[in-house]
Amino acid sequence: MVLTLPAGMRATRAVQALLWVLPAQQPVQGWTQALAEAALHAQGVQVNRVTVYRALDRLADAGLLQRTVDAQRTTRYWVVHATATSSAPSAHMECKACHQPMELDESAAAVQAALQALRQAVAQTAGVHNPTLDVSVQAECAHCASGQ
């Protein structure tokens, strides 16, 4: 899967490389600036961290990535699935014990339905257009809950 650059967005070398690298290697804990920069360097694309931050933010603003901020204030990015639309947000969770971030899988249909209902409720508020959600879900992961 290769992401397609939205119309009007500059096709810089870093952005073009990110469009190829991000969906091919999506980490379970999401992309951080440092992970994206390291992936680009591994592909021979030499960029600085500010360029990577800006490119990731532009891709998130374009709807190709979903941006979240965890309890340690680390910004994480997830590739928006090809079947998803801006009206179908994905859900992410952070473990309260080990702080490991993770994307809730497609089996979390009830969570997806709740997010969709929340987005629709916000969209029905007078004067609100095209809302996006950044919902923070915190729970214990299976590893921490089992005490291992």
Side-chain angles (χ1 to χ4, degrees):
M1 174 175 131
V2 175
L3 298 175
T4 305
L5 190 66
M9 189 171 176
R10 286 183 38 219
T12 64
R13 185 173 45 96
V15 168
Q16 288 175 340
L18 284 171
L19 291 173
W20 183 80
V21 168
L22 295 179
Q25 303 173 17
Q26 177 70 56
V28 173
Q29 73 273 18
W31 287 101
T32 62
Q33 174 278 327
L35 287 173
E37 184 178 350
L40 290 176
H41 286 201
Q43 296 296 319
V45 180
Q46 298 303 312
V47 293
N48 65 46
R49 66 180 175 83
V50 174
T51 299
V52 175
Y53 273 122
R54 288 179 181 161
L56 289 169
D57 282 340
R58 287 195 341 247
L59 291 171
D61 291 343
L64 297 176
L65 301 176
Q66 182 181 13
R67 177 181 34 227
T68 63
V69 179
D70 65 19
Q72 281 76 38
R73 301 181 70 155
T74 301
T75 304
R76 298 186 182 275
Y77 301 86
W78 278 268
V79 175
V80 174
H81 301 294
T83 58
T85 65
S86 61
S87 63
S90 61
H92 299 90
M93 184 198 88
E94 180 180 356
C95 178
K96 293 188 286 187
C98 69
H99 299 287
Q100 177 71 24
M102 63 191 73
E103 185 171 19
L104 298 176
D105 62 18
E106 295 301 319
S107 65
V111 173
Q112 296 295 337
L115 288 170
Q116 184 63 24
L118 178 58
R119 185 178 191 281
Q120 289 174 348
V122 171
Q124 293 173 355
T125 303
V128 175
H129 303 280
N130 302 317
T132 58
L133 299 179
D134 184 9
V135 177
S136 175
V137 177
Q138 296 183 347
E140 286 186 349
C141 67
H143 178 75
C144 292
S146 68
Q148 295 179 354

